[in-house]
């Protein structure tokens, strides 16, 4: 599941009653975004409920189900989503089904309060796991055989746990990063947030990386400079000087904040900008290369292929929008 691949990943989502809509969206929307941006069905999901009937979310909006969660010998990864009153769902029958699923499923994830349900089914024994910060102390006392950690998400060999809705977005971005690479994960993250200095600011909001945690203002400033200098990339030493720290210090801060060094993030920004031009314009690839800071069309094509597993011409041919009859008229 977490190896580099452009093969489609199917995921089953077991949605418990009184799950937050935002929690469900935190799982689905990054996958939908990855599909839309890539122009490929990289992810497909199926919604399950305990008995196959629609379940009500905390907003009173029902979530339809493709089926009930049974005893099938499925290998598809299973994400267990729960928010409030999870104990009502923690029946002996459900715990038995979860235990059965663990024999076959390649991965089982506890999303927010889904962590409680996995622990109840003894699926987290002797493993590290995280939980919403409000529940951390109670969870630690209730399950001494689980190594509770205060983190946004935890991935082990066959288990995943998350600490809430936004940490779940972070998890999904990490899954995309591990499967399709940093460049796509960064572009998906930009669908979910933006930075703005003030509510009354007249400047346009600048897309930033949800899940890339640019809390350090120096990293955020460096990213803004990168975004403003796509055509003529700034070398690391100059970038660090404009931020007011050494190049080595900026590298360390960047690695802590984003999980990648500055040059990887900068290249991802440039490649994503190039890909949008490939798809949305008819510009020659040499012009796109120059506009996104590449020395030559061949260098651009090599970097593009390494990141997206296809050439710019392949992308344009695959995703070219059909011309309508009205557009063909002079």
């Amino acid at each position: 599941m977490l190896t580099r691949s452009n093969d489609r990943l199917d995921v089953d989502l077991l949605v418990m009653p009184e799950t937050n809509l935002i929690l469900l969206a935190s799982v689905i929307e990054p996958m939908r975004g990855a599909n839309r941006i890539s122009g490929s069905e990289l992810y497909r999901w199926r919604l399950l409920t305990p008995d196959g009937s629609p379940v009500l979310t905390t907003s009173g909006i029902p979530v339809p189900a493709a089926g009930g969660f049974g005893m099938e010998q499925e290998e598809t990864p299973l994400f267990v989503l729960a928010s409030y009153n999870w104990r009502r769902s923690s029946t002996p029958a459900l715990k038995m089904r979860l235990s059965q699923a663990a024999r076959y499923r390649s991965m089982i994830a506890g999303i927010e309060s889904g962590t409680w349900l996995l622990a109840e089914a003894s699926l987290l024994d002797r493993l590290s796991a995280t939980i919403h910060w409000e529940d951390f102390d109670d969870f630690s006392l209730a399950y001494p055989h689980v190594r509770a950690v205060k983190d946004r998400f935890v991935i082990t060999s066959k288990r995943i746990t998350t600490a809430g809705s936004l940490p779940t977005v972070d998890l999904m971005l990490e899954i995309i990063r591990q499967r399709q690479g940093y460049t796509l994960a960064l572009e998906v993250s930009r669908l979910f947030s933006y930075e703005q200095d003030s509510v009354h600011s007249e400047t346009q909001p600048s897309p930033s990386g949800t899940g890339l945690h640019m809390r350090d203002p120096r990293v955020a400033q460096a990213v803004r400079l990168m975004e403003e200098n796509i055509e003529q990339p700034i070398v690391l030493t100059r970038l660090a000087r404009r931020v007011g720290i050494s190049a080595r210090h900026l590298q360390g801060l960047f690695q802590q904040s984003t999980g990648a060094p500055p040059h990887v993030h900068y290249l991802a920004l440039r490649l994503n900008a190039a890909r949008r031009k490939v798809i949305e314009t008819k510009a020659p690839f040499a012009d796109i290369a120059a506009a996104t800071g590449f020395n030559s069309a061949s260098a651009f094509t090599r970097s593009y292929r390494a990141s997206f597993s296809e050439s710019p011409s392949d992308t344009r041919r695959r995703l070219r929008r059909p011309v309508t009859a009205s557009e063909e008229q002079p």
Side-chain angles (χ1 to χ4, degrees):
M1 172 177 166
L2 297 178
T3 57
R4 188 66 182 257
S5 173
N6 284 321
D7 294 338
R8 191 186 74 205
L9 177 65
D10 292 332
V11 180
D12 282 344
L13 309 181
L14 175 56
V15 185
M16 297 298 167
E18 297 187 69
T19 294
N20 284 328
L21 272 177
I22 192 172
L23 188 66
L24 181 59
S26 295
V27 176
I28 292 177
E29 286 303 302
M31 294 191 289
R32 181 200 61 79
N35 289 349
R36 183 179 71 80
I37 291 169
S38 68
S40 303
E41 192 179 30
L42 298 173
Y43 298 91
R44 180 184 291 179
W45 51 93
R46 181 176 64 155
L47 298 178
L48 305 176
T49 59
D51 62 2
S53 302
V55 295
L56 282 180
T57 63
T58 53
S59 306
I61 298 174
V63 173
F69 178 51
M71 303 287 283
E72 298 86 359
Q73 297 180 7
E74 290 275 358
E75 296 182 359
T76 304
L78 175 70
F79 284 42
V80 182
L81 285 70
S83 298
Y84 296 101
N85 295 316
W86 62 269
R87 292 183 188 279
R88 296 177 185 173
S89 301
S90 185
T91 62
L94 179 74
K95 288 187 279 189
M96 181 178 66
R97 291 173 193 164
L98 286 172
S99 296
Q100 173 78 3
R103 300 179 187 176
Y104 304 101
R105 299 274 184 174
S106 60
M107 180 72 77
I108 298 183
I111 305 301
E112 197 175 80
S113 293
T115 301
W116 287 97
L117 293 170
L118 298 195
E120 280 287 297
S122 301
L123 299 185
L124 298 177
D125 288 358
R126 296 178 296 281
L127 297 176
S128 295
T130 191
I131 193 72
H132 194 281
W133 65 270
E134 292 179 332
D135 297 332
F136 186 84
D137 291 339
D138 290 341
F139 183 87
S140 300
L141 290 172
Y143 306 104
H145 297 302
V146 179
R147 295 191 291 271
V149 296
K150 293 182 178 179
D151 213 336
R152 296 179 70 80
F153 62 84
V154 173
I155 300 175
T156 63
S157 59
K158 285 196 171 185
R159 300 289 181 269
I160 294 173
T161 51
T162 72
S165 298
L166 292 180
T168 298
V169 174
D170 297 344
L171 166 70
M172 301 310 295
L173 292 174
E174 177 62 13
I175 290 173
I176 294 168
R177 186 190 70 79
Q178 292 196 30
R179 288 181 58 79
Q180 283 82 41
Y182 187 87
T183 303
L184 181 60
L186 176 62
E187 190 71 350
V188 172
S189 78
R190 291 159 66 93
L191 298 175
F192 294 97
S193 76
Y194 63 85
E195 294 174 331
Q196 196 166 14
D197 293 335
S198 167
V199 193
H200 306 292
S201 171
E202 295 179 358
T203 60
Q204 291 296 317
S206 168
S208 66
T210 300
L212 302 178
H213 301 311
M214 298 166 194
R215 297 191 183 106
D216 192 295
R218 294 162 294 187
V219 174
Q221 183 183 354
V223 169
R224 282 193 292 270
L225 288 169
M226 291 177 180
E227 292 173 339
E228 293 165 3
N229 293 273
I230 295 295
E231 185 173 352
Q232 295 182 328
I234 307 173
V235 297
L236 178 61
T237 52
R238 186 180 167 205
L239 187 67
R241 188 162 56 247
R242 292 182 65 174
V243 172
I245 56 179
S246 69
R248 184 174 181 179
H249 192 187
L250 180 59
Q251 282 185 311
L253 289 175
F254 227 98
Q255 191 73 43
Q256 292 171 11
S257 297
T258 70
H263 73 276
V264 170
H265 187 87
Y266 210 165
L267 179 60
L269 286 173
R270 292 163 52 212
L271 284 169
N272 283 327
R275 191 173 189 277
R276 289 192 291 271
K277 293 179 184 296
V278 168
I279 296 171
E280 297 170 7
T281 75
K282 296 180 180 180
F285 297 141
D287 292 351
I288 294 175
T292 52
F294 290 92
N295 293 328
S296 66
S298 58
F300 162 59
T301 298
R302 284 195 300 272
S303 291
Y304 190 100
R305 187 187 294 276
S307 182
F308 300 118
S309 300
E310 62 182 6
S311 69
S313 56
D314 290 338
T315 298
R316 183 168 280 178
R317 185 164 47 249
R318 184 169 59 85
L319 299 180
R320 180 176 292 155
R321 183 173 60 87
V323 178
T324 65
S326 61
E327 289 175 325
E328 291 176 343
Q329 296 175 358

